[in-house]
Amino acid sequence: MSSDNFLLDVKELRKYFPVRKGILRRVVAQVKAVDNVDLAIKEGETLGLVGESGSGKTTAGRAILRLIEPTSGKMMFRSKALAGTGKDYEEIDIASATRRKLKLLRRDMQIIFQDPYSSLNPRMTVGSIVGEPLLVHKIARGKERESRVRELLASVGLKPDHMKRYPHEFSGGQRQRIGVARALALDPQLIIADEPVSALDVSIQAQVLNMLEDLQQEFGLTYLFIAHDLSVVKHISDRVAVMYLGRIVELCATEKLFNHPKHPYTEALMSAVPVPDPDYEVERILLEGDVPSPVNPPSGCHFHPRCQYAKEICKKEAPEKRDLGGEHFCVCHLADTLSLAPVRLQ
Ligand code: SF4
C-alpha cells in the first residue's frame, strides 16, 4: 500500500510478554502476543481485524494506542492535534512519542471497549462520563461543556435528559452508545473499536453498527474494527486483516476476501459465517483444538497442525508474506495453488 494516504502506518509491531519463574523471577520464555505485524489504515476507511480469541488482535489495538507498551515497532500517525503552524498535520511515531505528545495524541485516537457494562464508571452520571475528556484536556468547562455533551449524546441517538442518569439505568446498546459518545468527545481522527458489539444482542448489534457507519460519514472517522467474527466485520469494513497467533496471515479488500480467500485459516473462519439463504449450502470447516500457545508456537507455519491442506514444507519452513496483486497479501506456501471456498456476501 502506498504510504501517501495513510492515517496510521504500523511496521513490524511486536508485543512480547515475559514468562518469569523461580524466586529470582528469571525470564524463561516470551509470549509473542503480537509478532511482526504490519498494518496501514487509510484516512476515512474501516479496517477490520479478525481472529479467534487469543490471536493477539486486542493486544495489537492496545499497543497501537500505547495503552500497553509495545516491545518494538514503528507506528507512524498523521496527527491533527500535533499540527504546527502552516501544516495540516504532523507525522509522529506513536511508539517513541513522549508522555506530553502522547497526551495530545489521545485527542486523535480513541477506543471503544467491548464491554459496555464494565467500561463505564457506575458512580458517574452519563454527563460526567461523556464530558470527562473535555475536562481532562481542558477543552471546555461549565455551560460550554454541558452543551457539547448534549450534542454528543444527540449524535449517538440519546436524549439530553440522559445526562443526569447513571449507567445502570441503560440497556447494553444504550451503554455502548454512551461509550461511543465519550470516544467522540475530543473529535478524534481514529477510533479503535475493540469488539464493540460482541456483548450485545444480535438485534442491537445491527443498530450499533449502522450508527458507527453514520458517525464515520458525519465526522470523517477512520476505524480499526476488531472482531472475532467475520460476519460482523463484513458489512462495516473496507478491508480486512486476518490474524492468527500474533501475525497477520491475510489482508485485502473485504469483497475480495469473501470471494477469493487465499489462506486456509480465512476459509475456516468464513465457513462459520451464517448465510441467510436456505438454498445456499456451506461446508463448515471445523478447526480442531484451540489456538496453540504463543509461548511455544508450532514450527514452520504456525497454522499447520490445524490446516487441512498442510504439506511437509509447512511443518519446516515459515511462509513469507506474499503480494498476490491488487493489495492482496497472504502468508501461506500454497497461496497461489489452493482453490478455496468463497462465501457469498449478502
Ligand atoms: Fe496451511 Fe501450509 Fe498454508 Fe500454513 S502454509 S496455511 S499449513 S497450506
Side-chain angles (χ1 to χ4, degrees), residues 156-158 172-182 207-208 211:
V156 297
L158 295 173
Q174 285 175 317
R175 287 186 206 201
Q176 197 53 294
R177 286 172 189 268
I178 297 166
V180 173
R182 180 178 55 186
Q207 289 174 17
V208 173
M211 177 191 72

Side-chain angles (χ1 to χ4, degrees), residues 93 107 109 111 125 136 169 316:
D93 183 5
R107 294 188 192 180
M109 305 186 305
I111 187 166
T125 62
V136 172
E169 298 175 59
K316 294 181 190 141

Side-chain angles (χ1 to χ4, degrees), residues 262-265 301-305 307-311 313-315 317 319 331-335 338:
K262 287 292 177 189
H263 198 284
Y265 180 57
C301 170
H302 291 349
F303 187 56
H304 87 254
C307 179
Q308 59 173 326
Y309 307 102
K311 302 258 186 277
I313 187 177
C314 305
K315 296 179 192 162
E317 284 178 32
V331 183
C332 171
H333 288 302
L334 310 182
L338 287 177

